[in-house]
Amino acid sequence: MAASYGAPGVYIEEQPSGSMPIEGVGTAVAAFVGFTERYDTEQGDPTDPAGVKPQLVTSWPQYERVYGGFVPGAMLPHAVRGFFENGGSAAYICRIPTTEGDDANNGGKPTLLLPSADNPGTPSLQLSAVQSGANLEVEVVPPAPPAEGEGEGGGSGNSSGEYVLRVYEGGALREELPGLQFSGRSARTVEKTVNDRSKFVRIEVQPLQGSSLAERAPAAGRYTLQAPPVSSKSVTPADLVGNESDRTGYQGLAIAENVTMVAIPDLVTVATKDDGSIDEEVFLGAQKQLIDFCEASHNKMAILDTPPGLNATRALEWRSRLARDSAFGALYYPNVVVPNPLARPGATNGELFLTVPTAGHVAGVWARTDAARGVWKAPANEALRGIARLENNVTSGEQDLLNPDGVNCIRSFGTYGTKIWGARTLAKTDPSWRYINVRRLFNFVEESIQRGTQWAVFEPNDFDLWQRVKRNITSFLRGLWTQGALVGATPEQAFYVMCDESNNPASSVDEGRLIVEIGIAPVKPAEFVIFRISQWQGGGAASE
């Protein structure tokens, strides 16, 4: 209704243009479910003291501040770092507490066993942090040797046999504890000297028969206190699923609607038995549940890994046992080998590297491809960053069998690098959903249109509304066509939008419905590039 005017003058009225442009939603947000070293409530969400609700991190340093670094037995940190190394920019972390009481202590307390100076194989001091999740280093400073001509009675040098212990937190010196003696003192005296004075560490000297305290004096050096291995014995696959009302597990992603990729890298940790073997039924069941979750959400895709240790034949069997015909999941083989960040100096070659699931690295490649080319570009023929090698090398003959069944292989091509060499979903029945980029393009279009047309709800359902909705959607799809997301020489060949009396009869309008029919022609990858070459005599051959 127009405003009423009394006095003569010039008036300005703002009128809605009737055009509400549709903006594309984000497509490169991942979610990872698993174990972390700790959880810092000061850096994270203070209302979530256990850190079990999905929380957003946008870089690896931010992840380290909130959740700590690497910890033995946890695959999630490797997945997150691989995600950011390969081009990812935003990820939600769904932390799973590993033991009873983890909600209270926010993770295990870092520990360190110092070696003896005279015999590195003999343990010296057992150190532990006072606070869980602390980022501590300890430096052992031995006594200074006596100066030349100096007797045992003293002098300016530290010849009294006193050690100094320095404690660093986050690289900064926090405290210095002098006066530690290992000659003529009991173990209890050493423990009391440190434990009564230190605010950061506690010391325990483990009894060792046949070895005196002096023979167990610590070796000089600077050492890092390591978090204890995660204990997943009390964790079940149901904990990975979580609960929507409690905002735990991947069900908790109900509060993170912009997530488009979901992975559970610590499934291998949960499914590992005491003897080190994989409980394959647990592994398969959890993967099937994740696919079902992504199908129900209709805007997320599950990135799956085969268990470690499978050859190509067993990987094909694994796909058969997975028995899922879904466009909302993608399976990758093999696992990747990365440098072990927890390897100590002098570690064997086998300890210097670690086999980890590839889902985090793959999710980073998906995000990198989205940013560089668009969600409609197949995330394949792209290099993996941050890896040392593959667990197994896949041959062309082996991929001939794996690829048709939807197992995306990661291949090493020598100097050309290690690349993702497959872009298929787990869809088998309907070949129109064979490719990852097609499914993700539709997810993107559907979510963008749904969010961009909220203004139309409760508007008068008449011809004017139909035209406005049609115009907005047409403009959005035309933009995708110009970017190369849709196939066709003209917009008419690439898509259509129908919203008129033919699909909105009076009966439908009376029921409060507005129906818009949309068809798009997605681009599909050139999976098989074939050159047909034959001999040609050329135009120069003289005709007889």
Side-chain angles (χ1 to χ4, degrees):
M1 180 180 295
S4 59
Y5 303 108
V10 177
Y11 298 89
I12 297 176
E13 295 181 357
E14 290 188 357
Q15 296 289 339
S17 64
S19 177
M20 303 287 183
I22 297 175
E23 296 183 3
V25 298
T27 60
V29 181
F32 299 102
V33 185
F35 307 127
T36 67
E37 178 191 0
R38 57 180 171 84
Y39 176 70
D40 191 331
T41 53
E42 294 183 1
Q43 297 290 336
D45 182 359
T47 65
D48 180 21
V52 295
K53 296 179 181 178
Q55 295 193 35
L56 178 67
V57 295
T58 56
S59 67
W60 173 247
Q62 182 187 4
Y63 171 88
E64 288 184 299
R65 289 194 299 270
V66 179
Y67 295 100
F70 300 96
V71 58
M75 294 294 153
L76 184 142
H78 297 280
V80 174
R81 188 171 75 167
F83 174 73
F84 287 117
E85 284 180 336
N86 281 276
S89 59
Y92 281 86
I93 308 301
C94 304
R95 178 178 182 267
I96 306 298
T98 56
T99 59
E100 293 184 8
D102 190 15
D103 292 357
N105 63 32
N106 294 330
K109 295 180 179 180
T111 59
L112 172 65
L113 183 61
L114 292 174
S116 299
D118 296 334
N119 185 3
T122 301
S124 177
L125 304 178
Q126 175 77 40
L127 284 80
S128 62
V130 173
Q131 298 292 332
S132 300
N135 180 20
L136 300 180
E137 292 178 287
V138 171
E139 182 181 13
V140 177
V141 182
E148 185 177 350
E150 183 179 292
E152 294 184 3
S156 59
N158 181 15
S159 58
S160 59
E162 293 185 349
Y163 283 72
V164 178
L165 200 67
R166 295 172 181 159
V167 181
Y168 299 83
E169 183 179 33
L173 179 63
R174 292 302 184 188
E175 63 183 14
E176 186 171 284
L177 307 171
L180 298 184
Q181 293 189 357
F182 293 86
S183 177
R185 299 292 182 95
S186 69
R188 303 289 79 82
T189 302
V190 175
E191 292 177 358
K192 182 174 177 59
T193 301
V194 173
N195 297 342
D196 288 351
R197 293 162 55 190
S198 177
K199 298 179 181 179
F200 294 90
V201 296
R202 295 291 179 263
I203 277 184
E204 181 181 359
V205 182
Q206 300 286 348
L208 185 62
Q209 189 174 2
S211 181
S212 67
L213 183 62
E215 294 172 329
R216 298 171 63 189
R222 185 162 170 170
Y223 308 89
T224 301
L225 275 70
Q226 301 284 2
V230 296
S231 176
S232 59
K233 291 184 178 180
S234 61
V235 179
T236 66
D239 295 314
L240 301 176
V241 178
N243 185 282
E244 182 176 333
S245 59
D246 295 335
R247 305 293 190 257
T248 58
Y250 58 73
Q251 289 283 357
L253 293 173
I255 62 175
E257 295 182 351
N258 57 339
V259 168
T260 60
M261 304 172 271
V262 186
I264 43 178
D266 272 309
L267 173 57
V268 65
T269 309
V270 175
T272 299
K273 304 178 191 177
D274 293 337
D275 61 1
S277 63
I278 300 294
D279 189 330
E280 296 186 353
E281 294 304 320
V282 169
F283 207 109
L284 283 166
Q287 288 190 331
K288 292 176 181 179
Q289 283 184 291
L290 179 60
I291 295 172
D292 293 343
F293 166 76
C294 291
E295 277 193 339
S297 69
H298 213 73
N299 67 343
K300 299 176 177 62
M301 287 195 66
I303 303 179
L304 310 175
D305 304 282
T306 55
L310 301 188
N311 58 23
T313 301
R314 292 201 60 208
L316 189 61
E317 294 174 357
W318 185 266
R319 170 65 185 101
S320 177
R321 293 174 62 191
L322 186 58
R324 275 295 185 272
D325 180 3
S326 174
F328 290 88
L331 179 64
Y332 287 85
Y333 169 82
N335 286 193
V336 295
V337 178
V338 300
N340 185 1
L342 300 177
R344 297 180 182 273
T348 63
N349 189 56
E351 296 172 337
L352 293 175
F353 298 95
L354 189 66
T355 299
V356 301
T358 190
H361 296 74
V362 169
V365 171
W366 285 22
R368 185 174 81 214
T369 304
D370 290 357
R373 301 286 299 276
V375 69
W376 49 87
K377 163 67 173 67
N381 198 3
E382 297 287 341
L384 281 188
R385 303 169 182 166
I387 69 170
R389 62 179 184 273
L390 299 174
E391 184 185 25
N392 297 311
N393 286 322
V394 181
T395 66
S396 295
E398 290 170 337
Q399 191 171 11
D400 284 343
L401 301 176
L402 293 167
N403 193 68
D405 269 357
V407 181
N408 297 313
C409 294
I410 302 173
R411 305 260 316 262
S412 175
F413 293 98
T415 56
Y416 290 98
T418 300
K419 298 185 177 184
I420 297 175
W421 210 244
R424 294 198 176 195
T425 68
L426 296 176
K428 293 286 290 181
T429 304
D430 189 351
S432 61
W433 300 112
R434 175 181 296 163
Y435 296 110
I436 293 171
N437 60 300
V438 173
R439 179 66 268 175
R440 297 186 71 227
L441 173 63
F442 270 77
N443 292 354
F444 166 73
V445 170
E446 292 167 7
E447 192 73 11
S448 299
I449 291 176
Q450 183 181 24
R451 295 188 187 183
T453 56
Q454 293 293 316
W455 59 269
V457 180
F458 294 113
E459 287 289 305
N461 195 356
D462 56 12
F463 181 79
D464 178 64
L465 177 64
W466 302 346
Q467 292 299 106
R468 290 164 62 192
V469 170
K470 181 177 180 179
R471 182 168 59 250
N472 292 347
I473 297 175
T474 298
S475 177
F476 172 67
L477 295 179
R478 185 186 294 269
L480 291 180
W481 172 72
T482 59
Q483 296 177 70
L486 307 179
V487 64
T490 64
E492 291 74 21
Q493 295 176 346
F495 66 88
Y496 72 85
V497 182
M498 182 183 299
C499 184
D500 53 28
E501 296 88 347
S502 63
N503 57 345
N504 286 280
S507 59
S508 178
V509 173
D510 290 341
E511 293 175 355
R513 297 181 180 181
L514 169 62
I515 299 175
V516 184
E517 294 182 13
I518 304 170
I520 63 176
V523 292
K524 297 180 181 179
E527 190 177 16
F528 309 103
V529 180
I530 302 168
F531 295 95
R532 293 175 175 167
I533 304 175
S534 61
Q535 291 191 26
W536 180 52
Q537 296 299 324
S543 58
E544 297 295 337

